[in-house]
């Protein structure tokens, strides 16, 4: 948490709003620098100077440099698990995930991979960010396994749970990369959405025989 220099009598809502403004300011300047000169070559000191804050303020809000670039990571990790936990009555885990992916694609959701050519290129050009992204995919699959285990009342290390999470996670990983590849090819979002929507249907269809009735509410 950043050092709060506001009065202790100041309303909590206002303090929180100012913290969020500072966090967004730092994130925006970091993204601009990462895209302009590359993630690896940009320093925390440069980001602090651009945002007109202390280096300590930057690291208070973003403990790791990667956190400045991938600031949707919490939502990304939790996305599949939340979809399974919130699935509709009578809906399988696969059906819920399939529906949620179609919605995310239609909305060009950044969490699904729609981030724009400059941002996608920044990630692709950075070994650090590419490695970090692979780790986020792993964490997302782990969270999905936890949600599936809860849904079917089985241990998380159950082979069926782990296999289901692996299959579902892999399809989402492949589709995410597909969106990134098409973005790097400078395809517009509407074209990417149309292409990936068709390909996602084919990918999810492959899982229907084994997972079509798995974890139905």
């Amino acid at each position: 948490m950043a050092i709060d220099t506001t009065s202790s009598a100041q309303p909590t809502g206002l303090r929180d709003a100012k913290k969020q403004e500072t966090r967004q300011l730092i994130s925006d300047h970091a993204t601009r620098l990462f895209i302009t000169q590359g993630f690896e070559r940009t320093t925390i000191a440069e980001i602090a100077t651009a945002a007109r804050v202390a280096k300590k303020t930057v690291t208070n809000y973003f403990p790791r440099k990667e956190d400045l670039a991938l600031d949707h990571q919490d939502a990304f990790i939790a996305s599949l698990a939340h979809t399974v936990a919130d699935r509709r009555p009578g809906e399988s885990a696969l059906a819920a995930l399939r529906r949620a992916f179609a919605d995310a694609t239609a909305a060009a959701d950044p969490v699904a991979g729609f981030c724009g050519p400059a941002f996608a290129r920044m990630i692709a050009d950075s070994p650090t960010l590419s490695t970090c992204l692979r780790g986020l995919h792993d964490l997302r699959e782990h969270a999905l396994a936890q949600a599936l285990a809860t849904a079917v009342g089985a241990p998380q290390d159950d082979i069926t749970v782990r296999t289901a999470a692996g299959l579902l996670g892999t399809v989402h990983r492949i589709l995410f990369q597909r969106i990134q590849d098409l973005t790097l090819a400078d395809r517009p979002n509407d074209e990417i959405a149309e292409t990936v929507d068709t390909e996602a249907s084919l990918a999810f269809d492959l899982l229907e025989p084994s997972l079509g009735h798995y974890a139905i509410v």
Side-chain angles (χ1 to χ4, degrees), residues 137-150:
H137 279 291
D138 291 342
L139 290 172
R140 182 168 69 162
E141 184 179 312
H142 180 76
L144 174 60
Q146 290 180 317
L148 290 173
T150 299

Side-chain angles (χ1 to χ4, degrees), residues 55-109:
K55 285 177 59 178
K56 183 64 174 177
T57 301
V58 175
T59 55
N60 279 341
Y61 280 99
F62 301 93
R64 303 180 306 160
K65 187 177 166 186
E66 298 94 298
D67 297 335
L68 284 155
L70 304 173
D71 56 348
H72 292 293
Q73 57 186 285
D74 289 342
F76 179 85
I77 292 168
S79 58
L80 305 187
H82 281 170
T83 296
V84 169
D86 295 339
R87 66 199 185 284
R88 297 168 180 171
E91 190 173 46
S92 68
L94 173 59
L97 290 167
R98 185 172 194 154
R99 172 177 52 80
F101 183 81
D103 291 344
T105 301
D109 189 345

Side-chain angles (χ1 to χ4, degrees), residues 8-206:
S8 59
Q10 194 170 29
T12 300
L14 181 57
R15 290 201 303 271
D16 289 344
K18 286 189 174 182
K19 289 178 182 178
Q20 183 56 40
E21 287 177 6
T22 300
R23 190 181 198 283
Q24 190 62 53
L25 176 69
I26 294 169
S27 177
D28 290 346
H29 281 288
T31 299
R32 177 180 58 78
L33 288 170
F34 292 153
I35 289 174
T36 301
Q37 58 192 39
F39 177 83
E40 314 293 347
R41 291 188 295 275
T42 301
T43 67
I44 296 297
E46 288 175 318
I47 294 168
T49 298
R52 296 184 178 181
V53 298
K55 285 177 59 178
K56 183 64 174 177
T57 301
V58 175
T59 55
N60 279 341
Y61 280 99
F62 301 93
R64 303 180 306 160
K65 187 177 166 186
E66 298 94 298
D67 297 335
L68 284 155
L70 304 173
D71 56 348
H72 292 293
Q73 57 186 285
D74 289 342
F76 179 85
I77 292 168
S79 58
L80 305 187
H82 281 170
T83 296
V84 169
D86 295 339
R87 66 199 185 284
R88 297 168 180 171
E91 190 173 46
S92 68
L94 173 59
L97 290 167
R98 185 172 194 154
R99 172 177 52 80
F101 183 81
D103 291 344
T105 301
D109 189 345
V111 174
F114 291 87
C115 58
F119 197 90
R121 208 163 282 119
M122 176 193 77
I123 295 175
D125 289 345
S126 168
T128 301
L129 292 180
S130 296
T131 299
C132 184
L133 182 58
R134 287 193 293 271
L136 294 178
H137 279 291
D138 291 342
L139 290 172
R140 182 168 69 162
E141 184 179 312
H142 180 76
L144 174 60
Q146 290 180 317
L148 290 173
T150 299
V152 301
Q156 189 178 333
D157 62 356
D158 177 83
I159 189 62
T160 303
V161 169
R162 292 175 62 186
T163 302
L167 291 170
L168 292 165
T170 295
V171 166
H172 281 83
R173 190 185 298 239
I174 290 169
L175 293 172
F176 182 95
Q177 188 57 52
R178 180 64 168 145
I179 292 170
Q180 292 282 284
D181 291 342
L182 291 170
T183 300
L184 288 169
D186 290 321
R187 304 284 184 86
N189 279 350
D190 57 348
E191 182 180 328
I192 295 173
E194 183 178 356
T195 299
V196 174
D197 188 59
T198 300
E199 295 177 347
S201 292
L202 296 173
F204 285 122
D205 281 348
L206 293 174

